[in-house]
Amino acid sequence: MPPEPQPAAPLAVPPLAVPPPSAPAATGVRLPWEGVPAPVRTRAEERWGAAVVSAVTQSGGFSPGVAARVQLSDSRRLFVKAVGPEPNPRSPGFHRREATLTAALPASVPVPRLVDSLEVAGWVVLAYEEIAGRQPREPWSARDLARVLRATEALAERLTPAPPIGAPSLAEDAGFRRWRLLLEAYEAGEAEAAATVAVLPAWAGDRLAALAEREAGWPEAVAGATLLHCDLRADNLLLTRDPGRPVVFVDWPHAATGAAWFDVVGMGPSVLMGAPGLRPLLDAHLTARGADPTAVATVLVGLAGLFLTDAARPAPPGLPTLRPFQRAQGEAALAWLRASWGGV
């Protein structure tokens, strides 16, 4: 695809297409910049050397904080994220980690440049360069997906071996033991586990032992030396008109090291839950990259366990839309597993 012409001014981000009812949007409840406590805003403007004269809240993502394109009184533009200890006390930690990892990434990686980070009264404020671009439209198109798949391959090449920025190993992530924990609790007669099993897709509920057994191979399946984003979805991607970085990868708090193809599998359920017809494109890409089919199946089992068991829990504070999205991702992961990778 030939490069598109460079725009003369930042692009407006068009509204996302409305996905079908079976595919909830990755959209939470955003706080406007004006909702940040005045002392925090004042301190940020002092550091930036200019006042915020306009702030346009951006859709996409589940954080209960600010995500806004802002214009300063000196005509500079920034993308600003800010979150406080309420309503979700874990959110500031994600912003701190994001700032640390993003600042440490090599300059050749297509990510927004971190301009500033500060903490005031428990609030974490991050300021990035504003990127002219749009998110992939949902439901995904084959054109957007092909563009992103090429970019993920290039990203993996740049980040192998992983730069020494303190990212954990995905193989050691204890979060991917959900089927085993659920099976043990269910067999022990725990009421919460029984309630979770009751709302699982029937195919999974009938195969808890097999899913737990396959999930046990997670460490070997994801082993690798590539630095991974680990949270790729449409809302964490920007498609630009810059031929030097046609896709920009945003929001890096979950970065970890692992198999070079993992990010494609991790992103796949969020694509397929709204555009199941794109499965052959994902399959062909993974095959061309030499992804081991057994490893791909194991990763899909692990992801489905994470999504579906989380989806059965109450919504986290400040993230009321997260659980339906996780449920849809889990169901899409299982459907992809069964259709392309042999089930369990």
Side-chain angles (χ1 to χ4, degrees):
M1 179 172 54
E4 302 172 50
Q6 184 73 18
L11 299 173
V13 179
L16 297 178
V18 178
S22 60
T27 302
V29 180
R30 291 293 192 188
L31 182 73
W33 173 248
E34 295 77 16
V36 175
V40 179
R41 287 184 282 126
T42 298
R43 178 59 179 148
E45 292 174 341
E46 290 173 350
R47 288 173 63 100
W48 302 337
V52 172
V53 296
S54 69
V56 180
T57 296
Q58 302 300 293
S59 63
F62 295 101
S63 169
V66 172
R69 294 176 183 259
V70 308
Q71 181 169 346
L72 303 179
S73 56
D74 60 5
S75 298
R76 285 181 295 147
R77 300 184 65 88
L78 298 171
F79 183 80
V80 174
K81 301 175 66 173
V83 72
E86 299 292 340
N88 191 306
R90 297 183 62 193
S91 295
F94 287 136
H95 276 38
R96 292 186 192 102
R97 179 166 175 76
E98 177 185 334
T100 299
L101 291 176
T102 302
L105 287 171
S108 62
V109 178
V111 300
R113 179 176 58 88
L114 182 66
V115 175
D116 190 26
S117 64
L118 66 146
E119 293 196 36
V120 181
W123 282 75
V124 180
V125 182
L126 309 180
Y128 290 95
E129 63 170 321
E130 185 188 39
I131 302 296
R134 65 169 177 87
Q135 297 172 2
R137 296 186 179 93
E138 296 182 284
W140 280 70
S141 68
R143 181 184 176 90
D144 280 358
L145 180 57
R147 183 173 177 178
V148 169
L149 291 177
R150 289 193 298 269
T152 61
E153 186 170 8
L155 181 71
E157 290 175 356
R158 293 181 183 182
L159 293 176
T160 306
I165 64 174
S169 168
L170 190 59
E172 299 173 1
D173 192 329
F176 294 94
R177 295 185 297 130
R178 298 300 184 86
W179 293 119
R180 172 60 57 187
L181 294 175
L182 178 60
L183 176 64
E184 292 173 352
Y186 182 68
E187 291 180 337
E190 295 183 14
E192 183 177 345
T196 297
V197 172
V199 298
L200 288 175
W203 184 88
D206 293 340
R207 292 167 175 79
L208 286 183
L211 291 166
E213 182 179 358
R214 174 57 69 86
E215 181 187 59
W218 176 271
E220 295 77 21
V222 301
T226 301
L227 181 67
L228 304 162
H229 183 283
C230 292
D231 195 26
L232 288 189
R233 303 184 306 258
D235 56 295
N236 285 337
L237 298 161
L238 286 173
L239 309 185
T240 80
R241 294 183 178 179
D242 181 352
R245 50 178 188 176
V247 178
V248 175
F249 298 83
V250 305
D251 291 354
W252 286 75
H254 305 293
T257 60
W261 45 264
F262 175 86
D263 271 337
V264 172
V265 181
M267 179 182 70
S270 70
V271 175
L272 297 177
M273 68 187 198
L278 297 181
R279 177 172 55 83
L281 186 56
L282 287 165
D283 292 344
H285 176 84
L286 289 166
T287 299
R289 290 184 66 176
D292 177 68
T294 300
V296 172
T298 299
V299 168
L300 286 172
V301 167
L303 291 171
L306 177 70
F307 292 140
L308 291 172
T309 56
D310 272 357
R313 299 174 177 174
L319 285 78
T321 62
L322 178 61
R323 297 311 192 205
F325 190 84
Q326 290 175 319
R327 173 78 184 196
Q329 283 185 294
E331 292 175 349
L334 289 182
W336 190 14
L337 170 71
R338 298 174 65 188
S340 296
W341 305 100
V344 293

